[in-house]
Amino acid sequence: MTTKLSGIVNLKKLKEEGVWVPFYKEPFQLKVAFLDPQSWRKLIKETSVMRYNPILGRKEESVDDESFSQAFAHKVILDWNGLTKEVLQVLFPQTAVEGDVPDGGVPCTVDNKVWLLQSSSTFDRWLTDVATNAQSYAQTDKKEAYDNLGI
């Protein structure tokens, strides 16, 4: 009888339920779903479009950035809390953060998830690293998980 890895390693729970992961050392934490390589490729394929390339003189497949950001944010960010004005200042250090942030922080909505992902390269890189690295989910000590990710 052959043992199958798919019967031993259950990624379904990590993909569907996710885990709470703090954003660096800030009070901002996100419930992030794991995105395995197969799911990553599927997401890219689903958000690809055919576009005319005038340099090559033909159509070619490319990822639609807007569609990808929306799909990635929806699939990976399940929830968050603690997105305060101070955290926004960390994410956007050269920008004056204006306006009032509600008590408890900015709510986790579809629009807010997509906007943050598209507007902060720091957040985008961090989220991609965390969501695609199974080691992030295996660690009970989050500091150890960050050390393993090089964060």
Side-chain angles (χ1 to χ4, degrees):
M1 181 174 160
T2 305
T3 303
K4 292 186 174 185
L5 269 176
S6 61
I8 298 170
V9 181
N10 185 358
L11 297 176
K12 185 177 181 180
K13 185 175 181 181
L14 292 178
K15 289 173 163 182
E16 292 176 0
E17 296 177 21
V19 295
W20 285 99
V21 182
F23 178 77
Y24 293 105
K25 294 175 175 58
E26 301 301 325
F28 182 36
Q29 59 178 339
L30 297 92
K31 190 171 191 181
V32 180
F34 176 62
L35 194 64
D36 63 4
Q38 182 179 1
S39 299
W40 181 263
R41 287 188 294 275
K42 183 179 177 186
L43 191 63
I44 289 173
K45 187 168 183 66
E46 289 172 350
T47 57
S48 293
V49 294
M50 294 299 288
R51 291 194 175 123
Y52 180 75
N53 183 330
I55 295 170
L56 298 176
R58 63 184 164 142
K59 286 187 174 185
E60 64 181 5
E61 193 173 31
S62 64
V63 175
D64 181 72
D65 291 337
E66 182 70 25
S67 296
F68 180 81
S69 293
Q70 289 177 5
F72 182 68
H74 175 72
K75 190 162 195 79
V76 173
I77 303 171
L78 304 179
D79 197 5
W80 75 40
N81 60 52
L83 182 52
T84 63
K85 198 169 193 172
E86 292 76 23
V87 175
L88 290 171
Q89 198 64 58
V90 170
L91 289 167
F92 303 98
Q94 303 302 320
T95 307
V97 177
E98 300 172 354
D100 294 327
V101 174
D103 291 340
V106 176
C108 182
T109 65
V110 173
D111 289 341
N112 287 344
K113 290 190 273 189
V114 173
W115 187 88
L116 186 58
L117 190 63
Q118 291 177 335
S119 302
S120 172
S121 57
T122 300
F123 180 74
D124 180 25
R125 281 190 308 271
W126 175 85
L127 184 60
T128 301
D129 287 345
V130 170
T132 58
N133 188 333
Q135 214 172 3
S136 302
Y137 302 89
Q139 308 293 333
T140 54
D141 177 3
K142 295 303 176 196
K143 181 182 181 329
E144 182 181 344
Y146 286 134
D147 291 344
N148 289 338
L149 285 171
I151 296 175

